[in-house]
Amino acid sequence: MFQKIIRGCVKLVQRYLPEPFIFAIILTLLAFVIAMLVCHQAPVEVVEHWGGGVWSLLAFAMQMALVLVCGSTLAAAPSIKKGISALASLPKTPAGAIALVTGVSAVACWLNWGFGLIVGAIFAREIAKKLRGVDYRLLIASAYSGFVVWHAGISGSIPLTMATPGNGLAEITRGALTNPIPISQTILDPHNLIMVTLVIVALVVVNTLMHPKGNQVLMVDPLLLQDDPVPPAKQPETPAEKMESSWLLSGLISLLGLSYVVIKLFFRGGSLDLNTVILIFLFLGVILHKTPQAYVGAFTKAATGAAGIILQFPFYAGIMGIIMGVGASGICLGTVISDACISVSTPKSYPLFTFLCAAILNMFVPSGGGHWAIQAPIMFTAGADLGVDPGLTGMAIAWGDAWTNLIQPFWAIPALAIAKLNAKDIMGYCLIDLFVSGAIICAGLLLWA
């Protein structure tokens, strides 16, 4: 029975899920129509809101691209790749391979979403090269399923933004937050850590049980997964070539960057915000690639994985403009959705409804920065009125932002590029993971409250 449900989900997604860019266009048109109907806005108003929002996330888009590319470049370092190859030799059965890929990618995503997303895909590819009989679609889906915990992890943009000092925090939350919320009350809160652990364990079990039987297994020819050969390193001759191949220059600039991070975190009382995470992975990558030339080459190659993000971010920023745009009616779509959540909430149920509200919005704006801009002014004020801990409110938004990524193909683009698959090949399995992880997250937020 379980296998029939899985096959039904796979067929449903393969038939109806379009390419991610088409998905963004459809969501744009859907948001356009909903804003006119629900908020009573004229078409000209909605067009202006869309156009005004297109470039509103440029700074955050750059941060997201750097998180992805720096994480990807770190994952491509020879020592990291060697470790991944050694790990890929461990599983001897398809079930063991699925379980290991799920666990490794989820833990890596919790540490850094860009790093985990790429490491998971590379790890799955390595296993597919070495182990016969494992379903390649499920293998890649398992690698991507760990992405559901990323916003509850060290690189989660919402909790890191909450931990970042500055006047902007009080301004965007309309005075509900006047001081930063340390990650000990969000990411590292015991409730959140328990939820993360339970979700990862559940994904490992469910993904293993989803493995097809017999002739339903879709394997891939290992020859199709071979990386392009690396040309042999040329002995540097000119002064310029010697500088390009200098491990000393890499070491010195990395020492400078990491020293700043240490001073900020341990001597100046700074927080582990999004920019700090980017710096850590940037300079760790420089060290592990050893020479500036090697790092530039790996970075350039990794940057192609960010193409989908760069292309689609303006469209999702435009959707955010529609959702946040206030017309002559005096209301906006984001307020309507958030107010609907608040109207049915109690202090106990508020985090749950905040999570569900964020999950719906994530389908239209798959961006932590977008969610923060839309929900922070409303949800933190309402949460304060209800007496809900602001750390819990922020994590409810963060979990909702991550949860529906399992069926929102935007963030799967880099992993799919590595795997040479389409979104429709993996999203059927991710739909099952959505239901399972959602049940755990909902229960966890209710208990936390």
Side-chain angles (χ1 to χ4, degrees), residues 92-300:
K92 306 302 179 185
T93 64
I98 296 298
L100 187 59
V101 165
T102 303
V104 168
S105 66
V107 172
C109 282
W110 188 85
L111 293 172
N112 176 268
W113 71 267
F115 180 70
L117 187 60
I118 303 305
V119 162
I122 293 174
F123 186 37
R125 274 184 49 144
E126 286 297 317
I127 288 180
K129 293 177 188 177
K130 298 173 183 289
L131 182 66
R132 304 303 295 162
V134 62
D135 190 275
Y136 188 55
R137 299 164 303 176
L138 179 58
L139 200 59
I140 301 302
S142 299
Y144 181 65
S145 67
F147 197 58
V148 73
V149 302
W150 85 271
H151 238 315
I154 298 300
S155 65
S157 57
I158 289 175
L160 290 182
T161 301
M162 293 169 62
T164 303
N167 296 330
L169 193 62
E171 182 179 346
I172 196 169
T173 61
R174 296 175 179 172
L177 290 181
T178 55
N179 296 309
I181 306 297
I183 61 172
S184 60
Q185 298 176 28
T186 54
I187 297 169
L188 300 181
D189 187 283
H191 296 91
N192 185 63
L193 294 177
I194 291 171
M195 288 169 63
V196 169
T197 302
L198 291 177
V199 167
I200 293 175
V201 171
L203 290 176
V204 168
V205 173
V206 171
N207 287 344
T208 303
L209 293 175
M210 282 197 289
H211 196 274
K213 310 294 183 183
N215 59 6
Q216 297 294 324
V217 175
L218 179 65
M219 292 183 289
V220 65
D221 185 350
L223 294 177
L224 299 176
L225 303 179
Q226 295 299 325
D227 294 322
D228 296 331
V230 179
K234 187 179 70 171
Q235 187 68 25
E237 297 176 356
T238 67
E241 290 175 345
K242 290 179 180 179
M243 286 189 287
E244 292 168 355
S245 303
S246 172
W247 60 266
L248 181 61
L249 285 177
S250 290
L252 288 174
I253 194 63
S254 298
L255 178 63
L256 175 65
L258 294 176
S259 294
Y260 167 76
V261 171
V262 171
I263 292 170
K264 176 184 176 181
L265 295 180
F266 299 102
F267 295 96
R268 299 290 183 252
S271 60
L272 190 67
D273 55 27
L274 187 57
N275 291 334
T276 305
V277 170
I278 293 172
L279 279 181
I280 291 172
F281 283 90
L282 169 63
F283 290 112
L284 283 179
V286 172
I287 289 176
L288 292 178
H289 280 280
K290 297 182 180 178
T291 70
Q293 187 178 43
Y295 188 77
V296 169
F299 191 95
T300 301

Side-chain angles (χ1 to χ4, degrees), residues 18 27 34 36 38 100 109 118 120-121 139 175 191 230 248 312 327-328 341 372 376 417 431:
L27 288 176
I34 293 175
M36 288 193 298
V38 175
L100 187 59
C109 282
I118 303 305
L139 200 59
H191 296 91
V230 179
L248 181 61
Q312 294 181 42
C341 161
W372 181 254
L431 183 60

